[in-house]
Structures are given as C-alpha cells and as structure tokens.
C-alpha cells in the first residue's frame, strides 16, 4: 500500500454525495463513509449503492466503527489507515 492515497472521508448529507464514492474507489483510494449525521433513509440508500459499487469494482465494504463504513479495492484498511482514522476521531 505504500504510495496509496490516504482514506477519503465522506460525511454524506444527500444521496448526490455517492458520486464521490465511485470516483475515489475507481482510483484505488479507500473511502470511509461516516453516517453519524446522515438521515437514516439516505444512509441506507448510500450503503446499498456502495455495496453495488463494491460488487462492480471487485471491492469490499466493511463496517469499521459506529455508523462508519470503509470501501476498499484491496482486502481491507491497513493498520496505518485505521490509525490515521482513529487520530482524526473518525473511528
């Protein structure tokens, strides 16, 4: 993973925010979606969409914290990526 972009953190407000997910995952950048302040119906739609993206791009969706999900094209977030997210107070 050396040289890989740090995880992109998305705090979606509306369903339109999903476009960012596709662009980032296609470039192999991990995307961390924080749903803590997202309307539950919007969060469900975005999560469903994310599973579809993961299926199409041979990626994974993993719950990494309370209302926090990671999309990666590799097996999972590295420990360094998880540490970064912890220091940012995301997970």
């Amino acid at each position: 993973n050396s040289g890989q972009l740090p995880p992109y953190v998305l705090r979606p407000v509306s369903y339109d925010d999903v476009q960012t997910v596709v662009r980032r995952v296609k470039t192999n950048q991990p995307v961390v979606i924080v749903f803590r302040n997202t309307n539950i119906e919007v969060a469900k739609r975005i999560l469903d969409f994310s599973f579809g993206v993961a299926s199409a791009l041979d990626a994974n969706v993993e719950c990494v914290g309370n209302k926090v999900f990671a999309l990666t094209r590799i097996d999972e977030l590295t420990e360094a990526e998880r540490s970064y997210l912890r220091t940012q107070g995301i997970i």
Side-chain angles (χ1 to χ4, degrees), residues 3-4 13-14 17-19 24 26 28 31 33-35 40 44 47-48 50 60 63 65 78 81-83 88:
Q4 182 173 328
V13 176
S14 73
D17 294 329
V18 298
Q19 295 174 12
R24 302 287 178 152
K26 282 172 91 174
N28 292 331
V31 176
I33 308 172
V34 181
F35 289 118
I40 189 72
K44 286 178 183 177
L47 197 54
D48 285 347
S50 298
N60 294 317
C63 181
T78 65
E81 290 164 342
R82 288 175 190 271
S83 178
Q88 299 297 310

Side-chain angles (χ1 to χ4, degrees), residues 50-64:
S50 298
F51 279 108
V53 168
S55 178
L57 297 179
D58 195 29
N60 294 317
V61 178
E62 175 188 8
C63 181
V64 294

Side-chain angles (χ1 to χ4, degrees), residues 2-46:
S2 62
Q4 182 173 328
L5 295 167
Y8 176 78
V9 178
L10 175 65
R11 291 176 172 85
V13 176
S14 73
Y15 185 74
D16 294 339
D17 294 329
V18 298
Q19 295 174 12
T20 302
V21 172
V22 176
R23 284 195 304 272
R24 302 287 178 152
V25 174
K26 282 172 91 174
T27 63
N28 292 331
Q29 183 175 16
V31 176
V32 175
I33 308 172
V34 181
F35 289 118
R36 290 188 190 121
N37 297 315
T38 306
N39 171 286
I40 189 72
E41 292 306 316
V42 171
K44 286 178 183 177
R45 288 181 64 207
I46 292 172

